[in-house]
mmCIF file of all heavy atoms in Angstrom:
data_model
loop_
_atom_site.group_PDB
_atom_site.id
_atom_site.type_symbol
_atom_site.label_atom_id
_atom_site.label_comp_id
_atom_site.label_asym_id
_atom_site.label_seq_id
_atom_site.Cartn_x
_atom_site.Cartn_y
_atom_site.Cartn_z
ATOM 1 N N ARG A 217 6.648 15.115 17.332
ATOM 2 C CA ARG A 217 7.423 14.181 16.518
ATOM 3 C C ARG A 217 7.353 14.535 15.034
ATOM 4 O O ARG A 217 6.360 15.075 14.559
ATOM 5 C CB ARG A 217 6.888 12.744 16.683
ATOM 6 C CG ARG A 217 6.941 12.203 18.084
ATOM 7 C CD ARG A 217 8.364 12.034 18.593
ATOM 8 N NE ARG A 217 9.170 11.157 17.770
ATOM 9 C CZ ARG A 217 9.332 9.847 17.995
ATOM 10 N NH1 ARG A 217 8.743 9.288 19.027
ATOM 11 N NH2 ARG A 217 10.108 9.122 17.208
ATOM 12 N N ASP A 218 8.426 14.212 14.308
ATOM 13 C CA ASP A 218 8.385 14.236 12.854
ATOM 14 C C ASP A 218 7.740 12.937 12.381
ATOM 15 O O ASP A 218 7.995 11.865 12.943
ATOM 16 C CB ASP A 218 9.796 14.336 12.278
ATOM 17 C CG ASP A 218 10.421 15.694 12.551
ATOM 18 O OD1 ASP A 218 9.667 16.686 12.604
ATOM 19 O OD2 ASP A 218 11.654 15.759 12.708
ATOM 20 N N VAL A 219 6.914 13.046 11.342
ATOM 21 C CA VAL A 219 6.128 11.888 10.909
ATOM 22 C C VAL A 219 6.227 11.729 9.395
ATOM 23 O O VAL A 219 6.139 12.698 8.641
ATOM 24 C CB VAL A 219 4.643 12.047 11.319
ATOM 25 C CG1 VAL A 219 3.779 10.940 10.708
ATOM 26 C CG2 VAL A 219 4.501 12.053 12.842
ATOM 27 N N VAL A 220 6.435 10.494 8.965
ATOM 28 C CA VAL A 220 6.329 10.128 7.548
ATOM 29 C C VAL A 220 5.038 9.334 7.396
ATOM 30 O O VAL A 220 4.847 8.331 8.088
ATOM 31 C CB VAL A 220 7.541 9.274 7.092
ATOM 32 C CG1 VAL A 220 7.339 8.783 5.667
ATOM 33 C CG2 VAL A 220 8.830 10.075 7.217
ATOM 34 N N VAL A 221 4.146 9.810 6.536
ATOM 35 C CA VAL A 221 2.851 9.140 6.357
ATOM 36 C C VAL A 221 2.904 8.280 5.100
ATOM 37 O O VAL A 221 3.345 8.743 4.039
ATOM 38 C CB VAL A 221 1.705 10.169 6.238
ATOM 39 C CG1 VAL A 221 0.371 9.452 6.075
ATOM 40 C CG2 VAL A 221 1.653 11.068 7.464
ATOM 41 N N VAL A 222 2.471 7.031 5.203
ATOM 42 C CA VAL A 222 2.486 6.138 4.036
ATOM 43 C C VAL A 222 1.087 5.616 3.737
ATOM 44 O O VAL A 222 0.264 5.450 4.628
ATOM 45 C CB VAL A 222 3.425 4.916 4.229
ATOM 46 C CG1 VAL A 222 4.865 5.327 4.219
ATOM 47 C CG2 VAL A 222 3.077 4.141 5.480
ATOM 48 N N ASP A 223 0.846 5.369 2.445
ATOM 49 C CA ASP A 223 -0.399 4.742 1.999
ATOM 50 C C ASP A 223 -0.081 3.989 0.716
ATOM 51 O O ASP A 223 0.993 4.192 0.126
ATOM 52 C CB ASP A 223 -1.482 5.806 1.765
ATOM 53 C CG ASP A 223 -2.892 5.215 1.841
ATOM 54 O OD1 ASP A 223 -3.028 3.987 1.998
ATOM 55 O OD2 ASP A 223 -3.856 5.996 1.751
ATOM 56 N N ASP A 224 -1.004 3.137 0.276
ATOM 57 C CA ASP A 224 -0.719 2.405 -0.954
ATOM 58 C C ASP A 224 -1.011 3.253 -2.190
ATOM 59 O O ASP A 224 -0.140 3.481 -3.007
ATOM 60 C CB ASP A 224 -1.431 1.040 -0.996
ATOM 61 C CG ASP A 224 -2.860 1.087 -0.510
ATOM 62 O OD1 ASP A 224 -3.444 2.192 -0.478
ATOM 63 O OD2 ASP A 224 -3.394 0.032 -0.162
ATOM 64 N N VAL A 225 -2.255 3.721 -2.317
ATOM 65 C CA VAL A 225 -2.599 4.496 -3.503
ATOM 66 C C VAL A 225 -3.167 5.852 -3.094
ATOM 67 O O VAL A 225 -4.039 5.937 -2.240
ATOM 68 C CB VAL A 225 -3.644 3.754 -4.372
ATOM 69 C CG1 VAL A 225 -4.005 4.591 -5.594
ATOM 70 C CG2 VAL A 225 -3.103 2.391 -4.803
ATOM 71 N N VAL A 226 -2.634 6.908 -3.688
ATOM 72 C CA VAL A 226 -3.159 8.256 -3.473
ATOM 73 C C VAL A 226 -3.857 8.673 -4.760
ATOM 74 O O VAL A 226 -3.236 8.723 -5.816
ATOM 75 C CB VAL A 226 -2.027 9.244 -3.126
ATOM 76 C CG1 VAL A 226 -2.561 10.673 -3.105
ATOM 77 C CG2 VAL A 226 -1.406 8.899 -1.782
ATOM 78 N N THR A 227 -5.159 8.927 -4.664
ATOM 79 C CA THR A 227 -5.909 9.324 -5.856
ATOM 80 C C THR A 227 -6.104 10.831 -5.835
ATOM 81 O O THR A 227 -5.265 11.567 -6.323
ATOM 82 C CB THR A 227 -7.246 8.569 -5.950
ATOM 83 O OG1 THR A 227 -7.943 8.692 -4.717
ATOM 84 C CG2 THR A 227 -6.998 7.098 -6.225
ATOM 85 N N THR A 228 -7.193 11.310 -5.239
ATOM 86 C CA THR A 228 -7.391 12.759 -5.173
ATOM 87 C C THR A 228 -6.436 13.403 -4.180
ATOM 88 O O THR A 228 -6.176 14.602 -4.263
ATOM 89 C CB THR A 228 -8.833 13.087 -4.725
ATOM 90 O OG1 THR A 228 -9.034 12.535 -3.420
ATOM 91 C CG2 THR A 228 -9.845 12.492 -5.698
ATOM 92 N N GLY A 229 -5.939 12.616 -3.241
ATOM 93 C CA GLY A 229 -5.084 13.174 -2.199
ATOM 94 C C GLY A 229 -5.870 13.634 -0.986
ATOM 95 O O GLY A 229 -5.297 14.080 0.010
ATOM 96 N N VAL A 230 -7.183 13.525 -1.059
ATOM 97 C CA VAL A 230 -8.028 14.010 0.040
ATOM 98 C C VAL A 230 -7.762 13.217 1.322
ATOM 99 O O VAL A 230 -7.658 13.784 2.409
ATOM 100 C CB VAL A 230 -9.524 13.924 -0.364
ATOM 101 C CG1 VAL A 230 -10.425 14.087 0.846
ATOM 102 C CG2 VAL A 230 -9.839 14.985 -1.401
ATOM 103 N N THR A 231 -7.623 11.900 1.199
ATOM 104 C CA THR A 231 -7.403 11.076 2.393
ATOM 105 C C THR A 231 -6.015 11.334 2.976
ATOM 106 O O THR A 231 -5.850 11.448 4.197
ATOM 107 C CB THR A 231 -7.565 9.586 2.053
ATOM 108 O OG1 THR A 231 -8.852 9.393 1.450
ATOM 109 C CG2 THR A 231 -7.472 8.734 3.301
ATOM 110 N N MET A 232 -5.019 11.452 2.110
ATOM 111 C CA MET A 232 -3.668 11.734 2.588
ATOM 112 C C MET A 232 -3.631 13.102 3.265
ATOM 113 O O MET A 232 -2.986 13.276 4.308
ATOM 114 C CB MET A 232 -2.682 11.667 1.417
ATOM 115 C CG MET A 232 -1.224 11.777 1.801
ATOM 116 S SD MET A 232 -0.643 10.431 2.854
ATOM 117 C CE MET A 232 0.127 9.324 1.670
ATOM 118 N N ALA A 233 -4.331 14.078 2.667
ATOM 119 C CA ALA A 233 -4.391 15.415 3.267
ATOM 120 C C ALA A 233 -5.063 15.354 4.635
ATOM 121 O O ALA A 233 -4.677 16.084 5.563
ATOM 122 C CB ALA A 233 -5.137 16.373 2.342
ATOM 123 N N GLU A 234 -6.055 14.494 4.764
ATOM 124 C CA GLU A 234 -6.725 14.338 6.062
ATOM 125 C C GLU A 234 -5.765 13.726 7.090
ATOM 126 O O GLU A 234 -5.771 14.099 8.260
ATOM 127 C CB GLU A 234 -7.988 13.477 5.897
ATOM 128 C CG GLU A 234 -8.614 12.965 7.188
ATOM 129 C CD GLU A 234 -9.087 14.076 8.132
ATOM 130 O OE1 GLU A 234 -9.030 15.257 7.759
ATOM 131 O OE2 GLU A 234 -9.474 13.735 9.270
ATOM 132 N N ALA A 235 -4.922 12.805 6.618
ATOM 133 C CA ALA A 235 -3.926 12.220 7.528
ATOM 134 C C ALA A 235 -2.960 13.298 8.004
ATOM 135 O O ALA A 235 -2.612 13.368 9.198
ATOM 136 C CB ALA A 235 -3.176 11.094 6.819
ATOM 137 N N VAL A 236 -2.534 14.164 7.085
ATOM 138 C CA VAL A 236 -1.631 15.263 7.447
ATOM 139 C C VAL A 236 -2.309 16.179 8.469
ATOM 140 O O VAL A 236 -1.715 16.570 9.484
ATOM 141 C CB VAL A 236 -1.213 16.056 6.187
ATOM 142 C CG1 VAL A 236 -0.417 17.305 6.573
ATOM 143 C CG2 VAL A 236 -0.404 15.169 5.243
ATOM 144 N N ARG A 237 -3.568 16.493 8.207
ATOM 145 C CA ARG A 237 -4.317 17.360 9.131
ATOM 146 C C ARG A 237 -4.408 16.733 10.520
ATOM 147 O O ARG A 237 -4.189 17.396 11.549
ATOM 148 C CB ARG A 237 -5.746 17.598 8.585
ATOM 149 C CG ARG A 237 -6.581 18.577 9.424
ATOM 150 C CD ARG A 237 -8.074 18.314 9.318
ATOM 151 N NE ARG A 237 -8.455 16.990 9.794
ATOM 152 C CZ ARG A 237 -8.552 16.659 11.086
ATOM 153 N NH1 ARG A 237 -8.303 17.552 12.019
ATOM 154 N NH2 ARG A 237 -8.875 15.424 11.438
ATOM 155 N N ALA A 238 -4.715 15.433 10.551
ATOM 156 C CA ALA A 238 -4.896 14.760 11.844
ATOM 157 C C ALA A 238 -3.586 14.740 12.640
ATOM 158 O O ALA A 238 -3.588 14.957 13.853
ATOM 159 C CB ALA A 238 -5.411 13.339 11.619
ATOM 160 N N VAL A 239 -2.471 14.492 11.945
ATOM 161 C CA VAL A 239 -1.176 14.473 12.638
ATOM 162 C C VAL A 239 -0.852 15.863 13.187
ATOM 163 O O VAL A 239 -0.405 16.014 14.329
ATOM 164 C CB VAL A 239 -0.060 13.973 11.688
ATOM 165 C CG1 VAL A 239 1.314 14.196 12.313
ATOM 166 C CG2 VAL A 239 -0.261 12.497 11.363
ATOM 167 N N ARG A 240 -1.107 16.871 12.358
ATOM 168 C CA ARG A 240 -0.845 18.245 12.819
ATOM 169 C C ARG A 240 -1.728 18.596 14.010
ATOM 170 O O ARG A 240 -1.274 19.227 14.980
ATOM 171 C CB ARG A 240 -1.100 19.232 11.681
ATOM 172 C CG ARG A 240 -0.011 19.212 10.621
ATOM 173 C CD ARG A 240 -0.402 20.083 9.437
ATOM 174 N NE ARG A 240 0.640 20.093 8.410
ATOM 175 C CZ ARG A 240 0.427 20.444 7.147
ATOM 176 N NH1 ARG A 240 -0.783 20.816 6.754
ATOM 177 N NH2 ARG A 240 1.413 20.432 6.277
ATOM 178 N N ALA A 241 -2.990 18.174 13.935
ATOM 179 C CA ALA A 241 -3.923 18.480 15.028
ATOM 180 C C ALA A 241 -3.472 17.835 16.328
ATOM 181 O O ALA A 241 -3.778 18.328 17.411
ATOM 182 C CB ALA A 241 -5.334 18.007 14.654
ATOM 183 N N ALA A 242 -2.736 16.725 16.209
ATOM 184 C CA ALA A 242 -2.254 16.026 17.413
ATOM 185 C C ALA A 242 -0.859 16.497 17.812
ATOM 186 O O ALA A 242 -0.218 15.879 18.676
ATOM 187 C CB ALA A 242 -2.259 14.518 17.168
ATOM 188 N N GLY A 243 -0.362 17.557 17.153
ATOM 189 C CA GLY A 243 0.919 18.134 17.559
ATOM 190 C C GLY A 243 2.124 17.567 16.843
ATOM 191 O O GLY A 243 3.261 17.859 17.219
ATOM 192 N N GLY A 244 1.908 16.756 15.818
ATOM 193 C CA GLY A 244 3.018 16.190 15.055
ATOM 194 C C GLY A 244 3.331 17.025 13.825
ATOM 195 O O GLY A 244 2.565 17.912 13.443
ATOM 196 N N ARG A 245 4.482 16.735 13.200
ATOM 197 C CA ARG A 245 4.885 17.469 12.005
ATOM 198 C C ARG A 245 5.110 16.454 10.885
ATOM 199 O O ARG A 245 5.997 15.597 10.994
ATOM 200 C CB ARG A 245 6.184 18.231 12.275
ATOM 201 C CG ARG A 245 6.569 19.209 11.185
ATOM 202 C CD ARG A 245 7.687 20.112 11.687
ATOM 203 N NE ARG A 245 8.960 19.406 11.731
ATOM 204 C CZ ARG A 245 9.889 19.496 10.776
ATOM 205 N NH1 ARG A 245 9.679 20.280 9.727
ATOM 206 N NH2 ARG A 245 11.016 18.836 10.861
ATOM 207 N N VAL A 246 4.297 16.542 9.827
ATOM 208 C CA VAL A 246 4.455 15.595 8.722
ATOM 209 C C VAL A 246 5.566 16.099 7.809
ATOM 210 O O VAL A 246 5.479 17.179 7.241
ATOM 211 C CB VAL A 246 3.147 15.420 7.929
ATOM 212 C CG1 VAL A 246 3.362 14.439 6.772
ATOM 213 C CG2 VAL A 246 2.034 14.919 8.837
ATOM 214 N N VAL A 247 6.628 15.313 7.686
ATOM 215 C CA VAL A 247 7.791 15.755 6.922
ATOM 216 C C VAL A 247 7.821 15.130 5.530
ATOM 217 O O VAL A 247 8.519 15.627 4.641
ATOM 218 C CB VAL A 247 9.096 15.404 7.663
ATOM 219 C CG1 VAL A 247 9.229 16.259 8.909
ATOM 220 C CG2 VAL A 247 9.158 13.928 8.021
#
Side-chain angles (χ1 to χ4, degrees):
R217 300 295 302 266
D218 291 328
V219 172
V220 174
V221 181
V222 290
D223 202 356
D224 43 19
V225 179
V226 172
T227 51
T228 61
V230 166
T231 305
M232 187 63 97
E234 167 61 5
V236 173
R237 184 207 61 77
V239 169
R240 286 173 179 160
R245 190 168 75 98
V246 179
V247 291

